[in-house]
Amino acid sequence: MLRVAVVGSGPSGVYTAQALVQQTAVPDVRVHVLDRLPCPYGLVRYGVAPDHEKIKSLQGTLRAVLEHERITFVGNVEAGTPELPAHRLLELYHAVVYCVGAATDRRLGIPGEDLPGSFSATEFVSWYSAHPDADPGGFALGVRSAVVVGVGNVAVDVARVLARGAAELLPTDVPQPALDLLSGSTVREVHMVGRRGPSQAKFTTKELRELGALPRASVSVEPAELALDPAYGDPSALPTALRRNVEVLRGWADAPPPVRARVLRLRFHLRPVELLAEAGRVAAVRFERTVPDGAGRVRGTGSYEEIEAQLVLRSVGYQGMPVPGLPFDPARGTVPHTAGRVLRADAPSPGEYVAGWIKRGPTGVIGTNRPCAKETAGSLLADADELAAREVADEPLAVLRESGLRPVEWPGWLAIEAAESSLGASLGRRSVKIADWAGLLAAARGVRP
């Protein structure tokens, strides 16, 4: 029997577990999928916007994998802590695959970035997704204007949630504390700002079009800013996805939107240089106008503009963080590896592997994790004979419990699901996420509030 621990129950972790148990070359592989949260699915549960039901439905696919007879979900267990360091995991399992993602946002690196009222987009996403580490009351939405820095899909998500009315989110699983604050929101303008042109924006066309379909918000673009992009006048040479983005924006520029309660302003060729304060809080963002430099990048022009903002959400990419006990490349934000095998002193470290963003960096979509996981699983299985020769614990979960940890297994997760369904029913809503650690763990143990 080959015992494997997969650290992380998001798509990369689940796909890795699936690849290990579906192959036939090594028939008796048993996988424990560990997660520090008592809930599975990673960013599918805690990173997908509540109004994106189709993407959230991927949970059903991940669920089927985690219910496999040779896969065990082990929540509420955090690897890389003093209680469970990396070397201890290797005493319990023949192999450990780290699928821990990229845990933090990249910073802007400009003055005022840490002013009250300035947040990373991940913090906002965690808040409306009911992540138990988020502060349920952490966002003051009694403001007039918000700026979202970035033009990727996460930026579109947070801008869309800000521009929606609370009534539109009522049928979703958004946590009640967040819904209550969104109900009292006074935000009237949401500015989504990119430093480059529309042909270089990272959002998908589907996400972009959704902004134009919001019933209580209109979309505004600046034709002069769009025209700065050399590809804007004739986008025919662009890849299909980018060409369609430009076509959507051209349509909005040609047909001014109707006047609605909120306006979502898409701005381009503006680079943030400073967050400005008033009364100790962020009050505006100062931007420098940029123009293309002829080499696919942009340069500053020395011309500046200030956009009012009492709330700033920074969405300029993710950054991997060191995994305690593993080597780390700070420049790439990844663990050094070859085909998923962790490298120590340029040599593969027996029994240690990586998959997902901590392996390749924060690139690709959810589906990109499949071939990434398959490659790592293939490396692990090629090493199986050597790995299986090492003695490990017969019952790793028993050892974890003896050390004082309290794992939440699959029945505990099902109890959380049931409690969230009951919470939604009590509020006259569908299933509503429990947003705090105490509530999740109580539900997992079958304790009623």
Side-chain angles (χ1 to χ4, degrees):
M1 179 186 299
L2 188 67
R3 293 191 179 276
V4 179
V6 171
V7 181
S9 67
S12 64
V14 174
Y15 292 153
T16 299
Q18 183 179 41
L20 289 170
V21 300
Q22 283 188 342
Q23 53 76 41
T24 58
V26 183
D28 199 9
V29 179
R30 303 299 172 98
V31 182
H32 286 179
V33 179
L34 278 56
D35 203 297
R36 79 178 190 90
L37 297 173
C39 309
Y41 312 139
L43 282 179
V44 177
R45 176 174 167 91
Y46 289 117
V48 176
D51 56 347
H52 272 180
E53 294 295 331
K54 185 173 181 179
I55 301 176
K56 289 172 74 68
S57 68
L58 179 61
Q59 291 185 20
T61 301
L62 303 181
R63 180 192 199 96
V65 176
L66 291 173
E67 289 180 333
H68 190 282
E69 61 182 3
R70 287 188 281 122
I71 295 176
T72 302
F73 172 70
V74 185
N76 197 39
V77 170
E78 184 172 4
T81 62
E83 294 77 21
L84 191 59
H87 68 84
R88 181 58 170 151
L89 276 174
L90 283 176
E91 295 171 357
L92 300 177
Y93 297 92
H94 294 110
V96 183
V97 187
Y98 292 88
C99 306
V100 294
T104 190
D105 292 74
R106 291 178 181 163
R107 291 180 61 82
L108 297 174
I110 61 175
E113 185 168 8
D114 295 318
L115 282 169
S118 170
F119 303 88
S120 71
T122 295
E123 291 175 290
F124 192 67
V125 171
S126 294
W127 172 73
Y128 66 57
S129 298
H131 195 291
D133 290 342
D135 178 358
F139 288 88
L141 300 181
V143 302
R144 198 191 76 81
S145 179
V147 163
V148 180
V149 180
V151 284
N153 277 346
V154 174
V156 173
D157 280 348
V158 299
R160 189 182 64 253
V161 169
L162 282 171
R164 278 199 184 280
E168 298 167 52
L169 294 171
L170 184 65
T172 74
D173 63 358
V174 68
Q176 193 63 37
L179 188 67
D180 291 341
L181 285 179
L182 288 165
S183 297
S185 171
T186 59
V187 173
R188 292 297 173 262
E189 289 190 345
V190 180
H191 307 260
M192 190 171 74
V193 188
R195 63 186 176 88
R196 298 195 290 181
S199 71
Q200 297 169 311
K202 300 298 185 182
F203 44 61
T204 60
T205 306
K206 180 180 180 296
E207 292 258 359
L208 181 63
R209 284 176 173 153
E210 286 179 350
L211 299 180
L214 296 175
R216 293 176 176 82
S218 58
V219 176
S220 170
V221 296
E222 299 284 342
E225 290 179 351
L226 300 177
L228 289 173
D229 190 326
Y232 180 71
D234 180 11
S236 59
L238 292 172
T240 301
L242 298 180
R243 186 185 74 247
R244 288 173 177 167
N245 286 346
V246 171
E247 289 169 350
V248 171
L249 292 165
R250 289 177 70 175
W252 289 339
D254 293 340
V259 176
R260 290 183 175 141
R262 293 185 173 100
V263 60
L264 180 53
R265 304 187 187 280
L266 275 60
R267 305 293 305 275
F268 296 93
H269 286 292
L270 291 172
R271 177 168 58 199
V273 295
E274 185 178 5
L275 271 61
L276 306 176
E278 183 177 298
R281 293 184 56 84
V282 66
V285 184
R286 192 174 193 229
F287 291 92
E288 181 182 17
R289 170 67 62 196
T290 67
V291 293
D293 66 357
R297 302 178 68 85
V298 293
R299 60 175 177 83
T301 64
S303 175
Y304 297 89
E305 175 182 345
E306 293 178 8
I307 298 179
E308 175 192 354
Q310 299 83 29
L311 173 64
V312 175
L313 300 175
R314 311 178 306 270
S315 181
V316 292
Y318 293 98
Q319 180 69 39
M321 295 294 289
V323 180
L326 293 186
F328 187 71
D329 181 348
R332 296 177 179 273
T334 59
V335 171
H337 72 94
T338 178
R341 295 181 178 93
V342 172
L343 296 178
R344 294 182 183 270
D346 297 325
S349 175
E352 294 184 312
Y353 303 84
V354 285
W357 279 1
I358 199 62
K359 170 187 173 184
R360 67 180 192 274
T363 60
V365 295
I366 290 175
T368 311
N369 289 295
R370 279 192 182 276
C372 175
K374 187 175 181 180
E375 179 189 56
T376 295
S379 295
L380 190 159
L381 294 167
D383 303 337
D385 289 345
E386 177 185 352
L387 298 172
R390 189 167 53 83
E391 289 190 11
V392 298
D394 289 333
E395 296 292 342
L397 290 185
V399 176
L400 293 177
R401 292 190 186 94
E402 289 169 3
S403 66
L405 299 178
R406 298 188 66 192
V408 171
E409 296 180 60
W410 197 249
W413 160 240
L414 296 180
I416 291 173
E417 279 193 318
E420 292 183 337
S421 179
S422 296
L423 174 61
S426 72
L427 296 169
R429 299 174 56 195
R430 55 173 290 181
S431 180
V432 172
K433 288 179 181 174
I434 297 171
D436 63 287
W437 276 98
L440 288 170
L441 293 176
R445 314 294 183 205
V447 178
R448 292 182 176 274

